[in-house]
Amino acid sequence: MDILNGLNPAQRQAVEVIDGPVLILAGPGSGKTRVITHRVAYLVRICKVNPRRIMAVTFTNKAAREMETRLKQLVSTAVNQLTMGTFHAICARILRIDGKAAGIDPKFVIYDDDDQVALIKRAFEQLRLDPKEHNPAAVAGAISRAKSKMQSPAEYIRHNRSYFEEIVGRVYERYQQLLAESKALDFDDLLLKTVELFQKHPEVLTRYQERYLHVMVDEFQDTNLVQYELVKLISGKYRNICVVGDPDQSIYSWRSADLRNILSFEHDFPDAKVIYLEQNYRSTRTILETASNVISANQQRKPVKLWTENEQGERINIVETYTEQEEAQFVAREVEKLVSRGEFKAGDIAIMYRTNAQSRVLEETFIRYGMPYRLVAGTRFYERREVKDVIAYFRLVQNPQDSVSLLRIINVPGRGIGGQTVAKLQTWAKSLGVPPYDALQLLAESKKSGRLQHPFDNRSADALARFARIIDGAMEKSREVNLVELFDFLVESTGYKVYTLNDPDGAERWENVLELRTVAEQYRDLPPAEALTAFLEGVTLVSDVDGMEEGIDRVTLITLHQAKGLEFPVVFIVGMEEKLLPHIRSFDDRDQMEEERRLCYVGITRAKRRLYLVYAFRRSFMGSSNANARSRFLDDIPKHLTTQPDWSADGGKIMDSISTWSRVRVEEAETPVVAAVDLKAGDRVRHAVFGEGLVVSSKKTATDCEVTVAFEKGGLKRLLLSFAKLEKIG
């Protein structure tokens, strides 16, 4: 019974009620992960349920890893028999095993967002559509929304109401054909094809229904129609479905999340037991009261009355600045104060904002003053060019029909296969009725026999045949060696290692390739074919927050959407203005305005001890400078909970000070960097991060030298010379 020790009465009830449908409404910081893990442990250890008969679904790999770590302590090795992971990962596993019944090749590749847009662009070309007139990314979004509503291309075309929808319907139809030719599925297909498999092949569904006696779903408010249908199907026999969520934290409608799923759960399951987790273990009373006042104006919700035994805590800081530059300076100065006084570490602090574009001014300010930070979802690791290139080689080895990967790396490194040759290859392959890689193999054979007519000159034909031989050799190798050896073989035999190191930024790019090799190390001991599949699935299904390093002592810059599920002792929410938070797109839509309020609520409830809500009187945004009113959400916070610190006395004069971290580094230096490098306008310099650039201006201060540099890749940056480590070149 140690499983129940330490649980409050509501948590204990949520763990012990195991029969029939259960809806657990869990407020932020109420210990829902603890409840889910202890519920699984209760089923395994107390109720003696075979762990193979339990499915627990999460929304991020990070949440799945956290759950697995906790369960290892509770149920030991039994955790290895549980079916646990994200919707996409679980569906990928089902389709690998049983997808053949629905005509899905078990070696299918998974296309990410970039691959999807690339394939849609090819559909545009084949349909003779102009990408300047119809944005491929917008079309991709429309197709994704159609799939989340379980609409096939034919069904979507039947319901067309506008010219744009007519274009989407045509592209959707061709896009699905191209996916099939490539033996590929996109993220939405992983879910949709699994539901279709269950609906059209009841014998397959019956096996899964028999197996899973208990099904649990975390973050249920974020499910879409397909995901809800999926869990209803799997739990259809025993009806032991337990969903955990909070309607007040539903902020992903733009990803097709449907708030109605959790609001109507009791309608779909009239016998459902509803349990409220309302005790918050995270935040101070002041922060909770602030959050409750902000969210209470919403109509679409199931009220959760948050309370805590934590201290009252400090008042909420509401801060007005004049511009976004002054806003960033205030944040930097306040962060410096908190850290230099020893109240918090840099890693305790998060700065949150509504749109990615808001990070630019914050980044510039933090770079300028040498403050360490990490940007969540800048250029994500798996989106870097060299990483995607190497992954494309692996995907082609696993599935040579993957045309997106083939077209990405057929001339990377350069092999004399230009754009015209690639276009000829695609046209020729289409005329033969085969995928591009099959055409390459036919070409290689015809080079020996001379029996097949082709449209290529000798030079191009030789280059294409050489590429086919490289991939054939790698495919043969993949059956013989472990994944790490295959990795080394690929980067050497394709010439990718030499190609990368010869790049001006080659050292940094090669480090990224080696980091990918570190990921491959995790699969070294698996059988070759299984390792390749597991590796490719792992790197494709990773999300932004999954890649966050733990325990790094840096300030976190993150959007409000990405911050969900995280917590920090100190939170700054910047841009608390009308047209930004709430966003201007929500002004004419009540549902969207309620979601903006939920987004603000999510941000507030990430804070444990200190909260700053900051806005600017005037902001340059989307190409124009405007004066905006402060956010309506601020007006919902009672005055007795807030304070408005006057920081105008020092006017944000962070310009005259150096941050704690910078000052330490300057004091520890034996000789000032300023004296070692004398820079003037017109000098060329090199920076470890931004590359090469031209000095625009150089201005000495009492303690340092401020240099403005126009970098070829990084744009215009202002840096303090004492810690920028600029190298004078030329």
Short mmCIF file of all heavy atoms in Angstrom, two decimals, residues 124 128 175 200 221 239 311 351 442 708:
data_model
loop_
_atom_site.label_atom_id
_atom_site.label_comp_id
_atom_site.label_asym_id
_atom_site.label_seq_id
_atom_site.Cartn_x
_atom_site.Cartn_y
_atom_site.Cartn_z
N PHE A 124 2.36 20.71 -56.52
CA PHE A 124 2.12 21.99 -57.21
C PHE A 124 2.69 21.94 -58.63
O PHE A 124 2.02 22.34 -59.59
CB PHE A 124 2.78 23.13 -56.43
CG PHE A 124 1.90 23.79 -55.41
CD1 PHE A 124 1.15 23.04 -54.53
CD2 PHE A 124 1.82 25.17 -55.32
CE1 PHE A 124 0.34 23.63 -53.58
CE2 PHE A 124 1.02 25.79 -54.37
CZ PHE A 124 0.27 25.01 -53.50
N ARG A 128 0.68 22.13 -62.10
CA ARG A 128 0.95 23.44 -62.72
C ARG A 128 0.31 24.59 -61.93
O ARG A 128 -0.34 25.48 -62.48
CB ARG A 128 0.46 23.48 -64.17
CG ARG A 128 1.26 22.55 -65.08
CD ARG A 128 0.84 22.68 -66.53
NE ARG A 128 1.73 21.97 -67.41
CZ ARG A 128 1.68 20.68 -67.67
NH1 ARG A 128 0.73 19.94 -67.09
NH2 ARG A 128 2.53 20.11 -68.50
N TYR A 175 -1.14 14.81 -53.46
CA TYR A 175 -0.20 14.63 -52.34
C TYR A 175 -0.27 13.23 -51.78
O TYR A 175 0.75 12.58 -51.52
CB TYR A 175 -0.52 15.68 -51.27
CG TYR A 175 0.18 15.50 -49.94
CD1 TYR A 175 1.55 15.71 -49.81
CD2 TYR A 175 -0.54 15.13 -48.80
CE1 TYR A 175 2.18 15.56 -48.57
CE2 TYR A 175 0.08 14.98 -47.57
CZ TYR A 175 1.44 15.20 -47.46
OH TYR A 175 2.07 15.04 -46.25
N LYS A 200 -11.77 -0.80 -40.75
CA LYS A 200 -11.95 -1.67 -41.92
C LYS A 200 -11.54 -3.12 -41.68
O LYS A 200 -11.87 -4.00 -42.48
CB LYS A 200 -11.17 -1.09 -43.11
CG LYS A 200 -11.69 0.26 -43.58
CD LYS A 200 -10.83 0.83 -44.69
CE LYS A 200 -11.34 2.21 -45.12
NZ LYS A 200 -10.47 2.83 -46.15
N GLN A 221 -7.37 17.24 -23.07
CA GLN A 221 -7.94 18.44 -23.69
C GLN A 221 -7.24 18.78 -25.01
O GLN A 221 -7.74 19.60 -25.78
CB GLN A 221 -7.85 19.64 -22.73
CG GLN A 221 -6.47 20.27 -22.60
CD GLN A 221 -5.55 19.50 -21.67
OE1 GLN A 221 -6.00 18.63 -20.93
NE2 GLN A 221 -4.27 19.79 -21.70
N ARG A 239 -14.07 -0.84 -21.74
CA ARG A 239 -14.51 0.51 -21.36
C ARG A 239 -13.79 1.05 -20.12
O ARG A 239 -14.28 1.94 -19.45
CB ARG A 239 -16.03 0.56 -21.14
CG ARG A 239 -16.81 0.24 -22.39
CD ARG A 239 -18.32 0.34 -22.19
NE ARG A 239 -18.77 1.70 -22.14
CZ ARG A 239 -19.16 2.32 -21.04
NH1 ARG A 239 -19.12 1.71 -19.86
NH2 ARG A 239 -19.58 3.57 -21.08
N GLU A 311 2.83 29.23 0.65
CA GLU A 311 2.81 30.57 1.23
C GLU A 311 2.06 31.55 0.32
O GLU A 311 1.82 31.27 -0.86
CB GLU A 311 4.24 31.07 1.44
CG GLU A 311 5.03 31.21 0.13
CD GLU A 311 6.45 31.66 0.35
OE1 GLU A 311 6.85 31.83 1.50
OE2 GLU A 311 7.16 31.82 -0.66
N ILE A 351 11.50 33.42 -19.75
CA ILE A 351 10.85 34.57 -20.37
C ILE A 351 9.94 34.02 -21.45
O ILE A 351 10.39 33.33 -22.37
CB ILE A 351 11.88 35.55 -20.97
CG1 ILE A 351 12.86 35.99 -19.88
CG2 ILE A 351 11.18 36.76 -21.56
CD1 ILE A 351 14.09 36.65 -20.42
N LEU A 442 17.24 0.91 -63.03
CA LEU A 442 17.08 0.51 -64.43
C LEU A 442 18.16 1.17 -65.29
O LEU A 442 18.70 0.55 -66.21
CB LEU A 442 15.68 0.91 -64.94
CG LEU A 442 14.51 0.10 -64.36
CD1 LEU A 442 13.19 0.73 -64.77
CD2 LEU A 442 14.57 -1.35 -64.84
N THR A 708 29.48 47.42 -33.22
CA THR A 708 28.35 47.02 -34.06
C THR A 708 28.90 46.37 -35.32
O THR A 708 29.71 46.95 -36.03
CB THR A 708 27.47 48.23 -34.44
OG1 THR A 708 27.03 48.87 -33.24
CG2 THR A 708 26.27 47.80 -35.26
#
